[in-house]
Amino acid sequence: MSAEPLVSARGLSKRFVKKPDLAGRLAGHLGADVREETVHAVDHVDLDIKKGEVVGLVGESGCGKSTLGRMIAGLLSPTEGEVQFKGKPRDKLSGADARAARLAIQMIFQDPYASLNPRARVEAIVGEAPVVHGITTRSAMPAYVDDMMRRVGLDPDLKRRYPHQFSGGQRSRIGIARALAVNPEFLVCDEAIAALDVSIQAQIINLFMDLRTEFDLTYLFISHDLGVVQHITDRVVIMYLGRVVETASTEELFDGPNHPYAQALLAEVPRISTEKRSFHPIKGEIPSPLNPPSGCHFHPRCPRAFGRCRNEVPVLKEIAPGRYSACHLNDG
Amino acid sequence: AKELKMALSAEPSAMDPHFHNLTPNNALTSHVFERLVHFDEKQSLIPGLATSWKTIDEKTWEFKLRTGVKWHDGSLFTADDVIFTMERAPNVENSPGSFALYVRGKTFSKVDDFTVRVTTKEPYPLMPNDLATIAIISKKAATGAKTEDFNAGKAAIGTGPFKFSEFVKGDRYVVVRNDDYWGNKPVWSKVTIRPIKTGPARVAALLAGDVDVIEEVPTTDIARLQGDAKVSLGQGLSNRVIYFHIDHWRDETPFITANDGSKIKNPLKDVRVRKALSKAINRPAIVDRLMEKAAVPASQFLADGFFGVSKKLKPEAFDPDGAKKLLAEAGFPNGFKMTLHGPNGRYINDARMAEAVAQMFTRIGVETKVETMPPAVFFNRASQGAGGNPEFSFILVGWGSGTGEVSSPLKSLVATFDKTKGMGTANRGRYSNPVLDKVIDEALATVDDTKRGELLAKASEIAIEDVGVIVSHYQLNTWATRRGLKYVPRTDEYTIATSVSEQ
Amino acid sequence: MSTTDAGPAVAEDAAVRRPAVQTPFQRFVADYTESRLATIAFVALIVTMLLALIAPWIVPQNPYDLAQVDIMDSRLVPGTPASSGKYTHWLGTDGAGRDLVSAMLYGLRISLAVGVMSGLIAMALGAAIGLVAAYVGGKVESLIMRIVDLQLSFPAILVALMLIAILGKGVDKIIIALVTVQWAYYARTVRGSALVESRKEYVEAARCLGLSNGRILFGHILPNCLPPLIVVVTVQTAHAISLEATLSFLGVGLPQTEPSLGLLISNGFQYMLSGEYWISFFPGLVLLMTIVVINLVGDQLRDVLNPRLSK
Amino acid sequence: MTAYIIRRLMQSAAVVLAMSVIVFLGLHVVGDPVYLLIDPQADQAEIERTIRRLGLDQPIWMQYFHFLKGALSGDLGKSFVHGTSALKLIVERMPATLEIAIAATLMAILLGIPLGLYAGLKPDSFASKSIMATSILGFSLPTFWVGIMMIMVFAVMLGWLPSTGRGPTATFLGITSSLFTIDGLRHITMPALNLALLKISLVIRLTRAGTREAIHQDYIKFARAKGIPTSRIVGVHLLKNIMIPVVTVLGLEFGSLIAFSVVTETIFAWPGMGKLLIDSIQTLDRPIIVAYLIIIVMLFVVINLIVDILYSILDPRVRIGEKSA
Amino acid sequence: MSGSDQAAIEPTLAVSGLKTHFFTKAGVVKAVDGVSLHVNPGEILGLVGESGSGKSITGFSILGLIDAPGRIVEGSIRYKGRELTTSSDEELRSLRGDRIAMIFQDPMMTLNPVLRIDTQMIETVHVHHRVSKAEALERARAALAEVGIPSPESRLKNYPHELSGGMRQRVAIAIAFINKPDLIIADEPTTALDVTIQAQILAEAQALCARTGTAMIWITHDLAVVSSLADRIAVMYAGRIVETGRTADVVSAPRHPYTQGLINSVPSHNVRGSRLNQIPGMTPSLINLPKGCAFRTRCPQAIDACLEPPPIREIGPGREVRCFNPVGVARPATAEAAP
Ligand SMILES: Nc1ncnc2c1ncn2[C@@H]1O[C@H](COP(=O)(O)OP(=O)(O)OP(=O)(O)O)[C@@H](O)[C@H]1O
Ligand SMILES: Nc1ncnc2c1ncn2[C@@H]1O[C@H](COP(=O)(O)OP(=O)(O)OP(=O)(O)O)[C@@H](O)[C@H]1O
Ligand SMILES: [Mg+2]
Ligand SMILES: [Mg+2]
């Protein structure tokens, strides 16, 4: 692993704003309750991912994991901040560099059904982009596709088929082959295994890990399955309502989470046990990102919240080497 | 109490008799209002509210009014009402088409309560005809009244055989018997008039027993209704002739080309071509097949029996070979291409008529296309579509003589177009023949009926022989009633309850 | 690839392999032909179209050529021999003397041509606008969609009536009018499915792979919007044919001498009560059957192409 | 809600403006009814007088400007043909049209929903298949053709119902309508049915589709798992969900009912505003045409508003203008 | 209160040899093909299996909610000794929601979106019990309070969409519990929920069963969830139950190769960062299952005998397995990945 991060996020924010239109504003003047609605999907996130690293991104539904992943993959443009690729702001790149940066980061999607064009054959799905970008030629494309399919453990004979003729696990493999076909360095896997059966999940996780060693890939692995995250990642980033609350190496985190939210999250992961256990869940629900709680977003549910948590946003501080947490409790 | 329900083919727009000079309006209002002079079914003049009229000198007419006539509100009819009427008639607010034409140039003066004098600047023979169009209204009831007041019934106080009862525009118009009527009291105690525009719907309404009388029976249904025991028909000649205007004035006419589509000189300026076209028309076939015999082949502007028609003129015989020969003589052995324009839904079977005639022309080598359009569009373009001038080359039109004599079509259709003189106002072919103009002018200034009749006949002959227009047929008007009733057909196309009698 | 398990994938394949059915098209055909009625309707539609197409070569008379039509032959009872003696008016003649069989097939030609042409033009136009709206988004999209909404909330027949009143008669005019009233349906459909499709992950994947917008739009999104579009085309074509007939009935629409089915019916309407039923009855039957057949096909297409119903 | 209404009003104002410009210009190009209105024997002076009186002598933009000025004060101009206020003419005719439109809607609901429900609940039965086949027919039948046939059969041949026209009216709760008299009902049956035919088919299909979709929903299965009897599941759980699209579509289709009444009114000589429009188009009576279209737009705004309100009553998920929580 | 003394008491539900097949155009889908299981009062039975293995259909079969083209073709379902497969529709209906209740997977879909919570709760009471409206309302309120919904009165007036997913699932649970049933079938009720919310629901379900003595069948594909909740576990594969036993026994010493594979493929049972133990292949189509043991083609322990369908065998008290060659007893209890 080199010291220079491969991909980094600098103060990355994404806000979704729903502005009232002219009529709405007029109505507002007439006293109607018309407001601009803003969702802080991602709120000033800093993140460095080094080459060869597998970073897990966890958090509950709606906390902004996908949004962050999509910004890094270049599918969404950030409202604020920037994504750097190999130390350079990606937006400032142009020409061949820009394209290289674009292709270097690929995304693996959650839904194995929706992520494949139902009207294209596997061959076209995998082979289109390499041909367009001149990675292979049209005539060499079939052989190239065969190669890609073999890499992900698919029989190349199946390349004339359509997606609907495959099982969920096979579709996942096709999606991975498609990404691999443009020689990426970095894969953003957004819940890439969530839709699969347990027994198939294991196969795909193994495939990810094999590919990693074979092609020196770097991963941002978004998942809500902490067991999987624990198994395959080197480092974990925990988000809550758009903010990173804790970052730590996987081992350290699972040994002892620092942030109260991380603690709660880890405690509630069901694990195979021989004992019936009694649950002591944290109270309350995940607040709406439309009007998040003041101060520390977690304070209404936090068992250890105190006055300051209500008013002051805790900053992400290094509490141990390579370990960051955003909690006022750390201030003593 | 006997009730009568009649269905009209058009919708009267007002109960105000001066609002719009339009057949359905005039027919409706004549239930309630009367004129000084009345038309009988054949548009002959008979006494109305005036018992007699005469010329004092060439330019002065005197009308003796009927005494003892009561308005529906009980007051007495006098010369004041006549004077009032003549003042109001041309000046109705928002009138889409007023009666001004019939009042203009006439000065009315009251001699006594029951005598009225009319003076004109020029000798004016058509005085009684003109006054037969203007309904007399009550000064007392209608002073300051607007059209709405008539529609509401407030001002709709007449002297006629029926009294106003209800006016629901587009739906129904109801009148009830005037028991104090001076003339023959009507049989019907209540008359409901409804517009049903679609022909078959009208027939269906009659067959279903919803109405007792319908006007304008579609020609297609005449045969069937004749055989229907539950229905009787009344059919009579109308004052309307169907004819064609021909472009006489342009050297190159827009809708005629050579067979290859290139421009040619206007062939219609050649009388032989016009004659050929007239010969090409199979009038008996039209009458027979198209009009279901509800028409008569035409020889001139008005049918036999009307004032001023020529006895000499006979319908042009169908002669395709003769027509081809004439065309060849005129230098068009292979004919030419032409577009025939016509209205769609203005006259009985007008669109199909245009099509049939186009067939006939095509057979003699004049390849004819047909273009029909809504009347509103058609008449606009036919009158002033080409920069204020008639647009088309050859059109199908009709003319109904409101005055019931021949001067009306002569003056409007074939007299030279002259804005200032008010001649040739509907001369959409711009036919111009100085000889003819002279005869017409003379006729219009001749008060003596016999002499005028001769002059009018002569004018008709000139116009027809020169093929100023091509006439096709006179329409027959057909009414149908349920069995047991009888409708006396009228040439003016009016449907009025007094023409319905029980058998 | 040696390290991963090529073995199991092949085993999977054995289980997934489905018999016979291969391409989406074949699957579609199999699904469609499941309904016998719809299959018959499809065949009937093809036959109808063929008949309309080859009409000039199979009918005894060109009813639009005035030289071949004679007023003297008007309203002949079905089965009467033609005056020329060369053929028989099997279904009689109309009021202008046109042989009804010939007139109906020619009328069918016009009706179908009007329906299909307006459908295709409206589809091309609407699909392009809809795609642009979905793709460009923002102000342009909301403007387009407002216009579409307005167009759709305004009854087609009124718009068509007004347009024909303004434009005048003629096949071209009526096609313009029908396109004007129809494009919005296509725009809405395409935009709707394009939005759905463009949110699907395969489109994101394509963007991620650096494919150009045009390629994504036309190579990936558009083909996936086709199924609903096809359904709309069929339904709208039937609708257009019916609308043209209605306009002709109302006296605006097509020229008198070149009657479509609607105009034939409308003309025949006058003869309804006088017992000459055939003049409007047969064209009415043909019109009805044509519309029913198209609707049946459209109905089945809707069922077959609806992703919600297919497993 | 306020924003919603403002948006609607702005939209319709835009439509009215755009539409009136188009119709004004378009009809101006086509022509005017002067030659139809005046006495054929009228001379040039009289023609010009008429043109002047109708205001047609002014340049078109001036005419439009006058129209706009009038429109702002609620005056949509005077009919060329009738000479009276176009607005008044239309408003006078409106009850007749609304009457058949409402009767047709009622028919569509009362016939369409039960049939559609049946076809949706028992999709494979012969009766259901017949219902659906018939509904395709209902979809395909040209309105005018059916109208003619109805008159032929029910009025002329069987003599059961009056062929044309509107029956006597009566006033009930301040509303004057022919729906309140027996003879009026007899008169309205055929035209309303004619108008309703298409909508009945539409409702059948909507209801069926909704039923077919809903019965596979978890909430229906959950209701069954709660032991709710079928009658209540269909009558409450299912119906309330189906009513949402049905009411919405019917509401929106109300506009097209009014539009299609043009055809029905022509056939049945029904004295409504549709017939007025057709006549006015034929006579190029521009003020009426423009006023009609404006009124229709307004009517639509109102109908849409009512539909939306109904929609939000039926579907609690929708609250107009409410922020999504 | 765990089902310790099974022999002595009558089970709340006993299913034996249940076969539910779907007769589709493509062929007969044997969704449930010979399932036998039982639950005792107060006991939680975890029914685990991969997607499509027939878990839900088993649940629906018990409630008599199988629609055409599906049909229970064989087997018996006994509720407190009463045979349900031969009961009339009306009898079944009166049991449903009253004695046997069900909770569904997707909380967004199970509540009728256009009816208020109170309507949906009260009707459940009213169709089974003749009580006053006030009484029904009170029961509804109490039921909501019991599943931990704050301020239940005001919640009753809400529509489903006004509640969060977790809240909705709680309402569904409250509806299931409202008539104090003897048995609840919970079909993956937490799968769609977030971890923290899932934990809350699990806690409440557990507490309720303990309090009311209601028996429960908890259907899930997540062994982890069920291992911490259930007293006993039944593992399903391709329409059959392949292994049952007390949770601790099954988890610590799986006997069926499939169960073992399932447990071994869970990451936490593997050394971090190493390759996972995976079951090769995929779940077979239920239309044409491999002959004999359906797991045969994926099984590392398959032997020739597996070409015949294996019978279910009792291999210990309350412990059954459907395998000719079960995983040896010799294996270490914490079947970790092979070193
Ligand atoms: N296009 C958008 N417009 C408006 N809001 C959005 C948009 N995309 C996401 N959001 C909002 O941003 C927030 C974060 O969404 P995101 O999809 O990143 O969450 P997530 O952590 O991936 O959740 P999940 O686990 O459910 O996938 C959510 O509240 C979501 O509603
Ligand atoms: N109506 C039906 N027609 C045909 N097959 C059906 C039907 N319903 C269910 N099946 C089949 O029955 C099998 C079992 O389905 P079931 O819903 O019980 O699976 P499950 O174990 O609950 O899976 P999941 O975890 O995905 O909910 C599946 O293979 C399914 O395809
Ligand atoms: Mg996400
Ligand atoms: Mg399930």
Side-chain angles (χ1 to χ4, degrees), chain E residues 129-202:
Chain E
H129 303 281
R130 298 182 140 269
V131 295
S132 69
K133 178 133 193 268
E135 164 70 15
L137 204 60
E138 171 52 28
R139 284 194 201 177
R141 199 200 55 74
L144 285 187
E146 219 164 337
V147 293
I149 289 184
S151 59
E153 276 94 357
S154 60
R155 283 306 181 202
L156 279 172
K157 300 273 172 287
N158 282 140
Y159 283 97
H161 73 275
E162 292 165 317
L163 306 181
S164 68
M167 280 294 176
R168 276 188 241 189
Q169 197 58 293
R170 271 175 234 209
V171 171
I173 294 175
I175 292 178
F177 272 98
I178 198 167
N179 287 321
K180 310 236 162 4
D182 299 316
L183 173 67
I184 286 186
I185 297 168
D187 188 358
E188 313 205 28
T190 59
T191 309
L193 301 174
D194 274 318
V195 231
T196 53
I197 310 297
Q198 163 168 295
Q200 292 168 355
I201 298 282
L202 287 175

Side-chain angles (χ1 to χ4, degrees), chain B residues 239-246 248 300-302 347 379 395 397-401 406-417 422-433 436-437 440 463-464 468-471, chain D residues 40-41:
Chain B
N239 59 14
R240 195 178 299 279
V241 64
I242 301 297
Y243 70 99
F244 300 90
H245 267 308
I246 301 164
H248 287 276
Q300 51 188 307
F301 297 103
L302 268 179
Y347 311 110
F379 285 107
I395 58 171
V397 250
W399 186 267
S401 180
V406 182
S407 80
S408 145
L410 284 173
K411 189 173 127 180
S412 305
L413 306 184
V414 286
T416 302
F417 176 72
M423 297 297 271
T425 48
N427 184 350
R428 295 181 173 112
R430 295 289 188 266
Y431 177 69
S432 172
N433 183 342
L436 176 64
D437 288 346
I440 295 174
I464 295 298
V469 296
I470 299 174
V471 291
Chain D
Q41 358 228 355

Side-chain angles (χ1 to χ4, degrees), chain C residues 3-5 8 12 16 34, chain E residues 25 275 278 280-282 285:
Chain C
T3 47
T4 39
D5 31 27
E12 276 179 53
V16 180
E34 248 173 42
Chain E
K25 279 196 213 94
R275 300 192 77 231
Q278 63 184 48
M282 55 174 285
S285 149

Side-chain angles (χ1 to χ4, degrees), chain C residues 25-155:
Chain C
F25 180 72
Q26 283 166 341
R27 205 159 55 126
F28 161 78
V29 171
D31 284 352
Y32 184 91
T33 46
E34 248 173 42
S35 159
R36 200 142 42 102
L37 185 63
T39 313
I40 296 173
F42 182 76
V43 173
L45 181 61
I46 296 296
V47 171
T48 313
M49 288 189 150
L50 275 180
L51 277 181
L53 214 64
I54 59 171
W57 292 277
I58 55 170
V59 296
Q61 185 195 59
N62 177 356
Y64 298 167
D65 179 1
L66 289 178
Q68 293 187 35
V69 183
D70 193 340
I71 183 81
M72 295 308 288
D73 292 341
S74 68
R75 290 177 287 126
L76 295 178
V77 182
T80 317
S83 49
S84 64
K86 290 205 196 88
Y87 56 93
T88 307
H89 299 297
W90 287 115
L91 298 181
T93 60
D94 76 352
R98 275 181 282 260
D99 174 54
L100 214 53
V101 175
S102 315
M104 270 162 47
L105 284 184
Y106 269 75
L108 187 65
R109 248 166 105 80
I110 297 219
S111 291
L112 277 177
V114 164
V116 171
M117 285 290 285
S118 65
L120 289 182
I121 298 175
M123 178 176 81
L125 198 73
I129 294 176
L131 263 188
V132 166
Y135 191 71
V136 176
K139 289 234 164 64
V140 177
E141 179 184 24
S142 35
L143 183 70
I144 291 178
M145 291 327 287
R146 281 292 79 72
I147 296 174
V148 167
D149 281 352
L150 294 176
Q151 170 82 66
L152 289 181
S153 70
F154 220 71

